Amino acid sequence: MVRQLGRSRTRPTRPPAPAPAAGTPAPGLSTQRSRSAAGGGPDGRRGDRPWRNPAAAVRSALSGRSVAGQVFVFQVVIVLLLVVVAVVALVLQSRYDSTMEARNRSLAVAETFANAPGTRAALAAPDPTAILQPRAEAARKAAKVDFIVVMNTDGIRYTHPIPDRIGKQFVGSLGPALAGSSVVEEIEGTIGQLVQAVVPVKAPDGRVVGLVSAGITTEHVGGAANRQMPLVLFTAAGALVLATAGTALVSRRLLRQTRGLGPREMTRMYEHHDAVLHAVREGVLIVGADGDLLLANDEARRLLGLPDDAEGRRVDDLGLPADTAELLSSGRVVTDEVRLVKDRLLAVNQRRTHLRGGPHGSVATLRDSTELRALSGRAEVARERLDMLYAAGAGIGTSLDVTRTAEELAELAVPRFADFVTVDLFEAVLSGEQPESRTDLRRTALAGVHKDPPLYPVGRRIRFVNTSPQARSLLAGRATLEPRLRDAPGWQAQDVDLTSQALDYGIHSLITAPLRAGSLILGMVTFWRSDNAEPFDTEDLALAEELVARAAVSIDNSRRYTREHTMAVTLQRSLLPRRLPEQSALEIAYRYLPAQAGVGGDWFDVLPLSGARVALVVGDVVGHGLHAAATMGRLRTAVHNFSSLDPAPDELLGLLDELVARIDQDEEAEGGSAPVTGATCLYAIYDPVVGRCSIARAGHPPPALVKPDGSVEFPDVPAGPPLGLGGLPFETAEVEVGEGTRLVLYTDGLVEDRQRDIDVGLDLLRTALEQAGPSPEDTCRAVLASRPADRPSDDIALLVARTQALGPDRVAAWDVPSDPAAVAEVRASVTRRLTEWGLEELTFTTELILSELVTNAIRYGGTPIRVRVLRDRSLICEVFDGSSTAPHLRYAAMTDEGGRGLFLVAQLAERWGTRYLPGGKVIWAEQPLP
């Protein structure tokens, strides 16, 4: 505690005392300070009182700290509440009056115009608009309404203020008016909130022959509130002015009576000043003009080592260094001038006291810069460590690759924390699996200030001995510190030769910390020091644990992603076709590129159908990951199953659409994964006999056709909605394709991304196809070469098929009359054709198959009946008839006379089935060629 002049060292406990008289300085304070605190001027008079200044009186009154100010605030609140209530009441009343006036005016105008002479007759005229439009506009302007609309009983307008709305449907309720009653309603129209009335126009017999509607917006009616609002506001402003003036007068009266501050306020002010002076952590000295020390607080006594009786003595006699004493007694102005006092470096700031009218002297403040510099150094170290932890949060885990994440950790810690950093992970972590603590580790990352340190290289399998710090850290599950490696025989036992080289290299200290993610230990991080002569300490140990803990989360996230990605890739590869089926209609090449974000739901397939036809299908399930891959597998399996029924492309997409809708319903009912919204598909069937391709698509990009001459076109295939939305039927487009035409199917990832629109992508695809070679493989390479080099943001599936025709020399067809005797002629014709083809071995079975099929067509089917035989990779027999009834395979009993025909066909043929056409059906059977 500072001992002031004439006071003892110990501060006495002072009871509340009256304030010192005006002009008398407080003990220990300068005369000027005491006068200012008491409210007096430099001459001791109290002529500078706030109550003598009207502006000061008003500010004091409005401050809210005095009683007058509180009364003023209360008055203001009451006035504002009254104003708000008045405004709300006016607005509500105005709205009510406006609405009622609008209802009455619109109803009166509508009834007047409806009952006006000539209105009913004009409705029956050939052109009611020509007669009624001028009348309605004239009446609207005279009645000051927004519109008068005359309409027929169907609500079709004959008149309207805006001519282009004549002839359009009226918006409003017509039911009551058509029933003979008038109706008034409030609606939100294009011109705002309005009230409109609809009244009927009746014939003499009471029949409604037309309708008249008149309407007006509510904002065009009324206005009483707007006229009364200024009066309310002016009244409130006058009340506020009167309240302010009254409060100022009351405050001035109170200040005059109390003469500024009372005794308690003066005593409290002095105690507060004294407490602040001795509580600050800066030394404060007040030196008079004659060089005497007037005041020194506790911190100044401690920093300068002043004696107890220092106050009142000259500064030169206090035992201070000569330069410091000379500075304090000179009174010159200095800023942060450093002086050495004993073992402390003090930063001195000094100002003169008479610069603002005070007594002559000076005030000096002292700061211990020695402690501040030490504290600043520690703060700088802490800041650097926090900065490194922040950088770890932002710089580690930028990718979902385990190895890259480990490398980011090592690169971050060098050289700001360690000279070398090694990251060792369990083998299972690198493949995305859960690690086992007893397996070997693999060095995944190494970073350092120098190349080729004497440490295990990256890729080396490591098994640490039990005495090594790494093994002890793995076993204990916490970081381990080895400040002096020369005194660590357990570490040296790991590899005597290598550790000896490390010591000679200068590596002298290490910290090893396990990469722990929950209950899993993923590996080990070791920090080494060589160039930095300071060994690691306990503070470094805590920082290493925090740094490794943050990195472990990122490495575990990368491990989990690697596992899910591997599972998704495995699932997707198992669902995509591993090899294309053998067929002769198309020469096919394909490409599949996974997206940068991982596997997705793009897929394709090639399905051989009956009659040497081939189906091509390309689909896309929006999204990535396991859900998209699994959904893709379900859709691909469904297409396989549906194609076995041999439906038309639009029918197959319809079945697929129903399936997706059921999948979504099941997922929603079970609270499962997201619905399959966004699934698209394109299904095409190519017939090599007629050279025609039937195509249908569900929200999928259109196919491209590359003709033999190299020209490219995108056929106009109707675009149906994506699968699962339902509502609209799908359509099939028939496209003529000559032999050698390339049919290009793809997913939207090839032509659309975030940087370009699909139209730009289609133009780029057209250019690439025009420059591609004739083979499907050349086409695939040219299309993918035209893309950017980076990985796509969405999956890409590309399927290129070059058409091949089944020539007339490999097709035989006959029309068969509906006569059982014609079966023999069919058998004879087929025998001759098989002899020409060199397939005499199949003559017997083919005659038997065709005999049964043609006989069934004659007996149970309808005309016309045709037979077609195709020689492809197998011998295909087809029998067409005009009936849509399907045959069924059954097992006949011993006593049954029939029922064995299809059973024999199924036994003799390799495959058989039924294909429905718009005009009937085809029953087909395939036999392998010898």
Side-chain angles (χ1 to χ4, degrees), residues 414 419-422 443 445-458 498-499 501-507 528-531:
V414 175
D419 297 320
F420 298 97
V421 176
T422 58
R443 179 135 300 174
L446 188 154
V449 294
H450 303 296
K451 295 182 179 179
D452 300 327
L455 300 171
Y456 290 131
V458 174
L498 189 63
T499 54
Q501 296 175 19
L503 292 174
D504 295 339
Y505 190 81
I507 296 177
W528 314 78
R529 274 188 180 173
S530 61
D531 292 5

Side-chain angles (χ1 to χ4, degrees), residues 146-177:
D146 290 298
F147 66 85
I148 297 178
V149 175
V150 183
M151 68 199 88
N152 60 14
T153 56
D154 294 329
I156 303 302
R157 301 188 186 101
Y158 289 142
T159 67
H160 197 277
I162 303 176
D164 61 353
R165 297 187 182 179
I166 297 175
K168 297 182 180 180
Q169 184 69 33
F170 177 78
V171 179
S173 301
L174 303 179

Side-chain angles (χ1 to χ4, degrees), residues 359-643:
H360 287 274
S362 62
V363 177
T365 60
L366 311 173
R367 280 198 323 274
D368 188 353
S369 61
T370 306
E371 296 181 359
L372 289 176
R373 290 186 180 183
L375 181 60
S376 176
R378 292 194 296 268
E380 181 65 20
V381 172
R383 187 197 65 79
E384 290 179 357
R385 294 187 173 185
L386 287 175
D387 181 66
M388 185 169 63
L389 292 177
Y390 173 79
I396 299 178
T398 57
S399 66
L400 292 175
D401 182 76
V402 175
T403 302
R404 180 56 193 154
T405 305
E407 293 173 349
E408 290 172 345
L409 168 61
E411 294 168 358
L412 176 73
V414 175
R416 64 175 76 183
F417 180 66
D419 297 320
F420 298 97
V421 176
T422 58
V423 181
D424 307 318
L425 300 178
F426 289 107
E427 292 280 357
V429 175
L430 297 174
S431 59
E433 303 298 329
Q434 290 191 1
E436 297 181 3
S437 58
R438 296 186 179 275
T439 59
D440 294 345
L441 290 94
R442 182 177 294 276
R443 179 135 300 174
T444 308
L446 188 154
V449 294
H450 303 296
K451 295 182 179 179
D452 300 327
L455 300 171
Y456 290 131
V458 174
R460 172 74 176 270
R461 291 173 61 93
I462 306 172
R463 179 180 291 272
F464 291 102
V465 298
N466 295 333
T467 59
S468 64
Q470 291 84 352
R472 289 187 281 114
S473 183
L474 283 175
L475 183 61
R478 60 176 180 271
T480 300
L481 169 64
E482 284 289 353
R484 289 176 295 277
L485 293 179
R486 290 191 178 275
D487 302 333
W491 169 72
Q492 298 177 17
Q494 173 67 34
D495 190 329
V496 177
D497 295 336
L498 189 63
T499 54
S500 176
Q501 296 175 19
L503 292 174
D504 295 339
Y505 190 81
I507 296 177
H508 59 84
S509 180
L510 71 80
I511 291 177
T512 180
L515 283 161
R516 177 186 291 275
S519 60
L520 296 179
I521 295 181
L522 308 176
M524 177 66 54
V525 181
T526 306
F527 303 92
W528 314 78
R529 274 188 180 173
S530 61
D531 292 5
N532 189 345
E534 293 293 329
F536 288 114
D537 54 20
T538 54
E539 293 184 0
D540 296 325
L541 183 68
L543 176 61
E545 288 182 329
E546 179 67 20
L547 183 62
V548 172
R550 298 194 179 196
V553 175
S554 298
I555 291 178
D556 188 54
N557 289 339
S558 301
R559 179 189 67 85
R560 294 172 182 269
Y561 172 78
T562 301
R563 180 185 60 186
E564 293 182 1
H565 180 75
T566 302
M567 294 173 59
V569 169
T570 304
L571 174 61
Q572 187 185 42
R573 288 179 178 175
S574 65
L575 295 176
L576 288 174
R578 299 185 180 181
R579 61 181 182 86
L580 297 180
E582 296 181 356
Q583 45 81 32
S584 303
L586 297 170
E587 180 186 353
I588 296 176
Y590 63 90
R591 295 291 189 274
Y592 177 81
L593 297 180
Q596 185 176 7
V599 296
D602 290 17
W603 54 282
F604 63 90
D605 220 331
V606 179
L607 306 173
L609 302 178
S610 62
R613 297 171 305 133
V614 178
L616 302 176
V617 58
V618 175
D620 183 8
V621 177
V622 174
H624 298 89
L626 288 175
H627 176 66
T631 304
M632 176 269 288
R634 299 170 73 176
L635 296 182
R636 180 170 179 260
T637 303
V639 171
H640 270 267
N641 294 333
F642 292 148
S643 65

Side-chain angles (χ1 to χ4, degrees), residues 690-897:
V690 298
R692 184 180 298 113
C693 188
S694 304
I695 307 174
R697 59 188 179 116
H700 203 82
L705 289 181
V706 184
K707 295 183 178 180
D709 59 359
S711 61
V712 180
E713 67 176 23
F714 294 92
D716 186 14
V717 180
L723 299 176
L725 298 182
L728 296 177
F730 301 101
E731 299 182 41
T732 298
E734 299 289 340
V735 180
E736 298 290 338
V737 289
E739 186 175 5
T741 301
R742 281 168 286 164
L743 182 64
V744 181
L745 309 181
Y746 52 90
T747 56
D748 58 355
L750 182 66
V751 296
E752 185 179 16
D753 55 28
R754 297 177 181 176
Q755 285 75 31
R756 63 183 182 185
D757 193 33
I758 188 171
D759 294 334
V760 177
L762 291 176
D763 292 339
L764 295 176
L765 177 61
R766 180 192 298 272
T767 303
L769 292 175
E770 290 174 348
Q771 300 174 354
S775 69
E777 283 291 338
D778 294 339
T779 304
C780 289
R781 283 193 292 267
V783 170
L784 296 183
S786 64
R787 288 189 44 80
D790 55 344
R791 293 183 62 186
S793 59
D794 193 8
D795 296 1
I796 295 177
L798 175 63
L799 187 64
V800 180
R802 185 168 62 180
T803 60
Q804 298 176 352
L806 198 63
D809 58 331
R810 302 170 63 183
V811 179
W814 303 275
D815 292 330
V816 181
S818 183
D819 183 2
V823 176
E825 181 60 28
V826 171
R827 287 200 302 267
S829 300
V830 169
T831 300
R832 288 192 297 270
R833 181 52 61 94
L834 292 179
T835 302
E836 295 176 3
W837 288 344
L839 300 177
E840 293 85 353
E841 298 180 13
L842 300 178
T843 302
F844 175 75
T845 56
T846 304
E847 288 182 352
L848 183 57
I849 290 173
L850 287 178
S851 297
E852 295 295 338
L853 296 181
V854 173
T855 301
N856 285 341
I858 295 173
R859 181 177 299 178
Y860 304 109
T863 57
I865 301 173
R866 291 190 296 270
V867 173
R868 190 173 70 170
V869 179
L870 308 176
R871 181 171 64 88
D872 191 29
R873 291 180 177 270
S874 60
L875 184 65
I876 306 171
C877 300
E878 297 180 341
V879 177
F880 170 83
D881 66 82
S883 173
S884 60
T885 57
H888 296 283
L889 180 67
R890 65 186 181 89
Y891 295 94
M894 295 295 294
T895 57
D896 292 342
E897 295 183 359

Side-chain angles (χ1 to χ4, degrees), residues 18-38:
T24 302
L29 298 176
S30 67
T31 304
Q32 180 65 27
R33 177 184 290 272
S34 129
R35 288 175 180 173
S36 299

